[in-house]
Amino acid sequence: MRDRHRSRLLAEINRYYPIIADQDALAIVPQRLWRSSGEFCSALDFSPAFVAAVCRHGYLPMAEMIGDLPLLLIKSHRDRCVVDWDNLRLSRKLRRYARDVTFSVNRDFASCLSRIVAHHAPTTWLIQPLCQAFLSLHHQPLRSVAFHAIELYAQDELVAGEIGYSTGRIYTSVAAFHTRNGAGSVQLALLGQVLSASKFAFWDLGMPLSYKIQLGAHVENRQHFLRRWQQQAEQPTPAWLTKQLSTAACLNLLQGQSPH
């Protein structure tokens, strides 16, 4: 009975989110989605290797629980927000929110991820198996995919942060939180400056939203984005120019100065 129920459930899922059985089939995700005009395929494999392969192809790994079945969602956006460095916009007004902050990359990935999950609970798509894969790919990158925590502190209090991943010369923002007015905007502005100075090719911000456009992002369709993605994902990942910024350095960056 349980096997029949699972088979029916998977057949129903496959109607809406075409199920990808293995890594080799990830290459045909855009074709599957083109036929359905959708943005999601799905899979049952939450292994770090499979999640890394999803990222490596230019898709965003998400998840949800279908009853007691954890389902990996493979999102290939119809339209994707991208920041090119010549278009990055910094608001001078952000300095008022940065008078006591410091910026870190990968100071405490596990705590940053936990805070993001708690911030979006109880409806978060960051379910436990996916979080475990992200944590593993932070500690041990695969297929040139490495997960990072981008953190903003006021003294020792984490007031804003995000997780994201680098793939070749691309950085992708995944999920974020903030607890203080303006802190999220400061974290994004500083991250953009650091990515630019580190010679990443571009910044992938996922689905179009107004605050991303205000940051300088433009929208690319799926075909154009994936073609551009593949060109840069093959390249070596740049070293972060800096992983720690003092308050003074943060304020200088928000005025458009160099990290060093």
Side-chain angles (χ1 to χ4, degrees):
M1 181 69 72
R2 173 173 286 185
D3 288 344
R4 285 204 302 271
H5 172 72
R6 181 181 173 89
S7 295
R8 287 197 299 269
L9 178 60
L10 292 177
E12 186 69 11
I13 290 169
N14 194 52
R15 287 179 57 197
Y16 297 99
Y17 303 147
I19 296 175
I20 303 300
D22 54 48
Q23 291 187 33
D24 291 340
L26 286 168
I28 66 169
V29 163
Q31 292 93 312
R32 299 288 299 272
L33 295 177
W34 179 80
R35 289 199 296 269
S36 67
S37 299
E39 293 188 309
F40 290 98
C41 287
S42 64
L44 303 178
D45 188 351
F46 282 85
S47 68
F50 190 85
V51 172
V54 170
C55 299
R56 176 62 184 76
H57 277 80
Y59 318 137
L60 185 70
M62 301 178 70
E64 67 175 300
M65 295 296 300
I66 307 294
D68 60 356
L69 176 70
L71 187 69
L72 180 67
L73 297 176
I74 301 165
K75 186 171 186 180
S76 183
H77 301 69
R78 283 188 294 268
D79 297 301
R80 195 107 162 203
C81 263
V82 171
V83 174
D84 292 314
W85 307 126
D86 288 346
N87 299 324
L88 182 65
R89 299 176 193 152
L90 297 179
S91 170
R92 297 296 175 87
K93 295 179 181 178
L94 291 178
R95 296 183 83 249
R96 74 178 73 171
Y97 303 116
R99 292 170 181 162
D100 62 343
V101 303
T102 57
F103 174 92
S104 296
V105 179
N106 294 331
R107 174 172 161 180
D108 192 341
F109 182 93
S111 291
C112 187
L113 176 57
S114 178
R115 292 288 298 277
I116 294 167
V117 172
H119 181 75
H120 294 285
T123 58
T124 180
W125 53 267
L126 288 162
I127 65 175
Q128 193 271 339
L130 186 60
C131 289
Q132 283 300 117
F134 289 172
L135 189 59
S136 178
L137 290 168
H138 169 67
H139 291 299
Q140 186 174 352
L142 297 171
R143 297 176 63 94
S144 300
V145 175
F147 271 73
H148 306 285
I150 313 299
E151 302 142 291
L152 194 74
Y153 291 89
Q155 286 78 50
D156 283 328
E157 180 188 357
L158 184 61
V159 294
E162 75 165 59
I163 57 166
Y165 54 88
S166 55
T167 314
R169 293 188 63 219
I170 308 152
Y171 176 83
T172 298
S173 291
V174 173
F177 87 102
H178 67 275
T179 61
R180 197 169 80 170
N181 188 34
S185 297
V186 169
Q187 178 254 304
L188 283 170
L190 293 172
L191 173 58
Q193 287 284 76
V194 170
L195 290 171
S196 174
S198 301
K199 307 301 183 185
F200 281 84
F202 63 86
W203 184 6
D204 166 26
L205 282 171
M207 68 183 294
L209 291 170
S210 59
Y211 78 86
K212 300 174 185 179
I213 303 301
Q214 292 168 8
L215 190 63
H218 65 277
V219 177
E220 298 185 356
N221 65 37
R222 181 185 290 146
Q223 183 179 14
H224 184 271
F225 174 81
L226 291 177
R227 183 166 58 246
R228 189 178 181 195
W229 177 282
Q230 292 304 329
Q231 292 171 351
Q232 297 298 337
E234 298 285 350
Q235 302 301 315
T237 300
W240 293 84
L241 181 63
T242 183
K243 290 189 174 183
Q244 303 285 337
L245 292 171
S246 66
T247 299
C250 289
L251 292 171
N252 287 339
L253 267 187
L254 293 175
Q255 287 186 308
Q257 299 180 28
S258 169
H260 291 302

